[in-house]
Amino acid sequence: MANSPGLLIYALLVCIAGRYAASEQAPLLPHASNDTTVSVDLFRELEELARIVDISYCVGTAGLGISKPFECASRCSEFENFELVTAWNTGPLLSDSCGYIALSHPPSPPRILLAFRGTYSIANTIVDLSTVPQEYVPYPGDDDDDNPPDFVSPRIKHVNPSGEDPPPSDPPKCDNCTVHTGFYTSWLNTRKAILPSLTETIEKYPNYQLVLVGHSLGGAVAALAGLDFKARGWDPKVTTFGEPRTGNKHLMAYINARFNITSNKTSNAFHRVTHTSDPVPLLPLAEWGYTMHSEELFISAPDLPPSIEDIRHCHGDEDPSCIAGSDSDGPSWGIPARFKFWELFFAHRDYFWRLGLCVPGGDPKDWYRKYLKPGDEVEESVDEL
């Protein structure tokens, strides 16, 4: 269906019709407190992470890139306290992976940031989302040889007075877990490319928080990277935008358990952000055995930019009032949300900003738009696009 001429023509007509018109941002005001409320601090954090992952689209672009100290044709100038460690690009195959590692130095929050880019190829996206699953084996059982180098099986220094090491080589078994083969291969390729630099950086900055952020297929890779890093005794914080379904229900339960996702929203270290009409979080299909994990944050507003009232915490793995309920909410023209592949150009890219363009300020429509900074009053509005 993704490759039929009728659907492609229809997608072009939707593009010409201007599917997404600019809309005015509602004032950022406190709203009634309940268990779905998103805090102002979390709203600011997500907005900043959306810009950070947007920069990853400069990696792998012909004639562009990210250079030291932290310069690019996109939003790098907005992060004056950032320092580029390295960027990676594993190649243009279906299991490709691009991104960068950067340091966020004080007075910004001290962090080691890994940003995982999505794919530029819409065709690759559709093909990747139809790959059969394979068994998931937690690190280190998935290493390629019996005597991996230190960066694959890193030495973990003593981190507490008792002198006991965390157990990097003995993660819990993931019983009956299966994972998307393309996503898993992409992570294995990425791991070889980044672990030398990442291990060295963590040893040099042990008090910096490890933060992973990914968009689209990069969100799936970030999720698998988070599990790997947990097994190494590191403590990553993971945020994904438009993350596809990565594995079966057993793997999703494993993610929930490893990240200790609970009803206490303020303590959870994994956020999975979805946007109404985005088909990617609904793929691969549930009929193929794929499902979602918990701690979803759902953006209900179709247009940019969202307000704090447009984002809410969801309950459980597949809350019917969030992205999982999209197919049942009266599919337009008889097409379920998961098959609206033209939304790969719109809803799938619209996470606080229009992601995926390595140009100054991101999408040109954003050039005159402001973003929230720490210390801004909550009553302030974000300017109209």
Side-chain angles (χ1 to χ4, degrees):
M1 184 173 183
N3 295 319
S4 67
L7 181 56
L8 292 175
I9 293 172
Y10 183 70
L12 290 174
L13 291 175
V14 173
C15 295
I16 296 171
R19 171 69 177 84
Y20 276 80
S23 64
E24 185 175 356
Q25 168 76 20
L28 184 59
L29 297 172
H31 53 295
S33 178
N34 55 58
D35 63 351
T36 66
T37 298
V38 172
S39 70
V40 172
D41 287 343
L42 179 56
F43 183 89
R44 289 194 181 104
E45 176 186 336
L46 296 175
E47 186 278 327
E48 182 192 48
L49 287 171
R51 287 184 284 128
I52 288 172
V53 78
D54 191 27
I55 293 172
S56 68
Y57 282 89
C58 290
V59 180
T61 310
L64 299 175
I66 308 174
S67 59
K68 295 185 177 183
F70 194 69
E71 298 177 350
C72 63
S74 181
R75 305 179 183 275
C76 292
S77 61
E78 299 170 12
F79 301 97
E80 60 183 14
N81 299 312
F82 278 26
E83 175 189 353
L84 178 67
V85 175
T86 189
W88 76 86
N89 181 0
T90 62
L93 302 177
L94 291 181
S95 58
D96 68 333
S97 174
C98 293
Y100 67 91
I101 304 174
L103 291 164
S104 169
H105 295 297
S108 297
R111 294 168 291 178
I112 300 171
L113 293 153
L114 276 73
F116 298 84
R117 199 200 78 186
T119 179
Y120 274 118
S121 171
I122 301 302
N124 282 6
T125 300
I126 302 303
V127 172
D128 268 6
L129 291 177
S130 63
T131 303
V132 295
Q134 70 172 69
E135 180 185 6
Y136 175 77
V137 180
Y139 162 87
D142 52 10
D143 288 326
D144 295 332
D145 52 59
D146 295 330
N147 297 296
D150 289 337
F151 68 82
V152 173
S153 182
R155 297 183 301 272
I156 305 297
K157 297 182 178 180
H158 296 305
V159 294
N160 57 60
S162 68
E164 295 180 357
D165 289 338
S169 60
D170 190 23
K173 185 179 179 182
C174 193
D175 292 319
N176 301 314
C177 293
T178 60
V179 63
H180 183 283
T181 299
F183 302 160
Y184 193 51
T185 301
S186 183
W187 164 237
L188 294 181
N189 292 339
T190 303
R191 185 174 70 182
K192 294 176 183 177
I194 69 173
L195 278 179
S197 295
L198 181 59
T199 303
E200 181 180 352
T201 303
I202 290 175
E203 290 181 351
K204 187 175 180 180
Y205 298 93
N207 297 322
Y208 279 39
Q209 183 180 39
L210 181 59
V211 175
L212 281 58
V213 58
H215 172 241
S216 187
L217 305 187
V221 177
L224 295 173
L227 286 178
D228 190 309
F229 296 164
K230 278 281 189 182
R232 296 169 188 272
W234 298 338
D235 189 24
K237 184 173 184 179
V238 183
T239 300
T240 64
F241 299 94
E243 175 192 337
R245 291 166 167 163
T246 309
N248 67 355
K249 64 179 182 179
H250 300 287
L251 180 59
M252 298 303 100
Y254 188 77
I255 290 176
N256 293 340
R258 292 294 284 149
F259 281 89
N260 193 29
I261 296 176
T262 69
S263 58
N264 182 6
K265 306 296 185 182
T266 59
S267 65
N268 290 333
F270 199 132
H271 292 125
R272 178 172 62 87
V273 187
T274 63
H275 181 210
T276 185
S277 298
D278 184 356
V280 172
L282 301 170
L283 297 170
L285 300 178
E287 292 88 335
W288 300 342
Y290 290 91
T291 185
M292 306 175 190
H293 61 82
S294 293
E295 198 48 27
E296 177 185 359
L297 296 167
F298 181 61
I299 303 174
S300 59
D303 300 326
L304 290 173
S307 70
I308 194 170
E309 289 84 3
D310 297 322
I311 307 173
R312 65 176 182 267
H313 289 281
C314 304
H315 296 289
D317 291 354
E318 298 199 6
D319 189 333
S321 67
C322 295
I323 194 67
S326 297
D327 278 355
S328 60
D329 291 340
S332 56
W333 298 287
I335 303 175
R338 57 185 172 167
F339 294 131
K340 295 179 181 178
F341 294 126
W342 62 87
E343 291 289 4
L344 291 167
F345 298 96
F346 300 108
H348 181 53
R349 293 173 55 205
D350 289 349
Y351 283 88
F352 292 86
W353 306 84
R354 178 64 58 82
L355 305 180
L357 292 177
C358 182
V359 296
D363 191 286
K365 291 192 301 181
D366 294 334
W367 286 353
Y368 299 105
R369 179 177 164 203
K370 296 179 180 178
Y371 50 87
L372 288 171
K373 301 182 182 67
D376 286 349
E377 297 294 330
V378 293
E379 291 81 9
E380 292 185 2
S381 300
V382 177
D383 289 352
E384 183 179 355
L385 283 171

